[in-house]
Amino acid sequence: MKYILLFLVFISGYSIQAQRYTPINYLGIGVEATSYRLDIDDLTVDSNLGYKFVLETRGQIRDDFDFIYSLGVYNHNFSTRELLTNQEIEFSQLGAELNFLFAWKIAQSNHFSIELGPSLLFNGDYKLKDESAFENSQIGSLSNTITVSEFQKNNPFNVNGVIGFSTGVTHFRLMAHYHYGFLNNLSGQDNLGNDLEGKARFYTFGLRFYF
């Protein structure tokens, strides 16, 4: 967490300095709702509403292009079902995402842009909302049973592709983005000793205020 705070200080200072000399650069803050998905065999994952807080710099590099870099701290929420009882098991995941996006301004307009680029994710493990009730539970299917404790184990790093759009005016924008993880998100094993494989993806919908 201290590295995230140091990065926030750095990006804030850099952006403020940039604004002194290039008024087309803007520092932004924002909040987003997240909808998390995990693609894994023999397990259904249902998305619950999560959230993400963002610190961002948006700068014009050409009349028809902006460059966006941002740091977002997110808390995803999702659930699955206990194998034998079918009870809902709720999870959350805390992490940070660095985005590096190019924004193509349609017809050189500041009111609408299509945005895409890579991002780096630093994930925490999946956390149980009710650990005392489900820490020893089984999930998955009868042919591919997984203990909750193994499912909770995550790879700490991932690379995402991001695509979406934003619309608004100079100091306020609405946006929607799709984030797709290219790497395996899981590091645990099923009950047969096979490595778990699952790719994460999520949607974000939110707003920005620029200064």
Side-chain angles (χ1 to χ4, degrees), residues 1-199:
M1 185 58 70
K2 67 179 180 180
Y3 298 109
I4 294 176
L5 293 175
L6 287 173
F7 186 84
L8 285 170
V9 172
F10 169 78
I11 195 173
S12 300
Y14 180 86
S15 300
I16 291 170
Q17 289 294 326
Q19 289 183 76
R20 292 176 180 173
Y21 304 103
T22 55
I24 56 174
N25 287 348
Y26 299 96
L27 175 67
I29 57 172
V31 63
E32 298 176 346
T34 70
S35 178
Y36 184 80
R37 302 286 192 275
L38 181 69
D39 298 324
I40 176 174
D41 292 339
D42 299 316
L43 181 66
T44 300
V45 174
D46 297 317
S47 177
N48 298 328
L49 187 66
Y51 57 86
K52 179 181 176 185
F53 297 106
V54 180
L55 181 65
E56 177 174 289
T57 291
R58 187 182 189 106
Q60 182 176 339
I61 56 177
R62 286 181 50 180
D63 289 342
D64 51 353
F65 277 98
D66 287 343
F67 180 71
I68 304 165
Y69 61 93
S70 65
L71 171 66
V73 178
Y74 58 80
N75 187 74
H76 295 315
N77 293 301
F78 65 94
S79 63
T80 188
R81 294 283 175 175
E82 209 275 336
L83 180 59
L84 298 179
T85 66
N86 203 38
Q87 287 182 283
E88 184 181 44
I89 306 176
E90 294 183 298
F91 296 89
S92 64
Q93 183 187 48
L94 184 66
E97 181 180 31
L98 296 174
N99 286 345
F100 307 91
L101 307 181
F102 288 95
W104 175 39
K105 297 184 288 187
I106 305 300
Q108 299 184 0
S109 169
N110 288 320
H111 301 305
F112 186 86
S113 65
I114 296 175
E115 300 163 359
L116 73 160
S119 70
L120 305 178
L121 269 74
F122 303 91
N123 299 311
D125 286 341
Y126 295 146
K127 299 297 183 183
L128 281 167
K129 295 288 185 71
D130 190 348
E131 188 169 353
S132 61
F134 297 111
E135 61 180 344
N136 298 315
S137 294
Q138 305 284 330
I139 57 177
S141 66
L142 292 176
S143 61
N144 185 20
T145 306
I146 307 164
T147 63
V148 165
S149 60
E150 285 294 306
F151 175 70
Q152 288 180 266
K153 298 176 182 178
N154 261 234
N155 288 319
F157 174 78
N158 210 331
V159 179
N160 274 14
V162 182
I163 187 168
F165 69 89
S166 71
T167 183
V169 293
T170 301
H171 296 289
F172 175 77
R173 298 183 77 86
L174 300 173
M175 54 196 52
H177 290 144
Y178 174 69
H179 309 242
Y180 180 81
F182 294 116
L183 306 180
N184 182 19
N185 208 60
L186 304 175
S187 61
Q189 296 182 328
D190 64 21
N191 288 353
L192 297 177
N194 301 311
D195 292 338
L196 295 177
E197 294 188 7
K199 290 188 176 180

